[in-house]
Amino acid sequence: MALKPAGVVSYLEAGPPLMFAALGLIIATAVGLFRMHRFEGRGARVVRIATLIAAASWLIAVLGVVVTAVFFQGDSSLVYVLAVFPGLLVGMPSFAVAGAGLMWSRVLPAWSGALVVLTSLLLFGFNAEDDRILFVIPFGLTWMVLGGLLLSAARHHPTQDGTPVRTQHA
């Protein structure tokens, strides 16, 4: 409790803005993966479909949380059952499949896909009620690394029209 930011009564007040920021960045990185894998080839179609499903399902989960907070003062079990939990549960294996496609396509280093698979599967043990909330940290760090790899690939390998070149990593 001594590590709380000044002025925050509980982590429940600081948690939602940080969660929305993190989920927004993860969804944006998934859209980046979708755009980067517009080429045909090994695993590219798998990555495109899986990232689109994962980003859409997590967006539905975020919208469910927003609807619950705005219209039901944070207390609607029906919205959580119909939108939030299914969105998160569909997103986790979709991200794992996208990681497998990353390993297969070799557009980014294979280890990045392996990290996405492992940390996505680790999320199935996540629980916000106890210490298992820490399972989110490796997932977030993986997506930070993945976003950095995407930015690096886009900066170092542009084509004449500005689109990234498909790079093969060993």
Side-chain angles (χ1 to χ4, degrees):
M1 296 302 286
L3 298 175
K4 288 190 307 186
V8 175
V9 176
S10 73
Y11 281 114
L12 295 176
E13 292 177 12
L18 294 174
M19 178 192 70
F20 287 128
L23 288 175
L25 290 172
I26 290 170
I27 291 169
T29 305
V31 170
L33 279 175
F34 177 80
R35 289 189 41 87
M36 186 176 194
H37 283 78
R38 61 178 163 236
F39 308 98
E40 294 298 321
R42 302 181 313 170
R45 184 171 292 157
V46 171
V47 173
R48 287 180 60 88
I49 293 169
T51 55
L52 187 63
I53 290 170
S57 65
W58 277 31
L59 183 61
I60 289 169
V62 168
L63 291 176
V65 171
V66 169
V67 165
T68 300
V70 171
F71 296 110
F72 300 106
Q73 289 77 36
D75 190 27
S76 175
S77 299
L78 182 63
V79 175
Y80 273 99
V81 169
L82 293 178
V84 177
F85 292 132
L88 292 175
L89 289 177
V90 168
M92 287 184 248
S94 297
F95 280 129
V97 169
L102 277 175
M103 289 189 310
W104 188 19
S105 71
R106 302 270 182 171
V107 172
L108 294 174
W111 58 264
S112 65
L115 281 176
V116 172
V117 171
L118 291 174
T119 58
S120 297
L121 295 177
L122 185 64
L123 281 181
F124 281 110
F126 167 78
N127 185 357
E129 304 296 323
D130 57 21
D131 291 341
R132 291 178 288 171
I133 195 168
L134 297 175
F135 286 168
V136 175
I137 293 172
F139 185 73
L141 290 175
T142 298
W143 281 92
M144 288 171 55
V145 168
L146 200 58
L149 288 172
L150 285 171
L151 284 174
S152 150
R155 283 190 191 138
H156 291 98
H157 303 291
T159 61
Q160 297 289 344
D161 62 353
T163 58
V165 171
R166 181 169 187 240
T167 57
Q168 295 280 337
H169 294 278

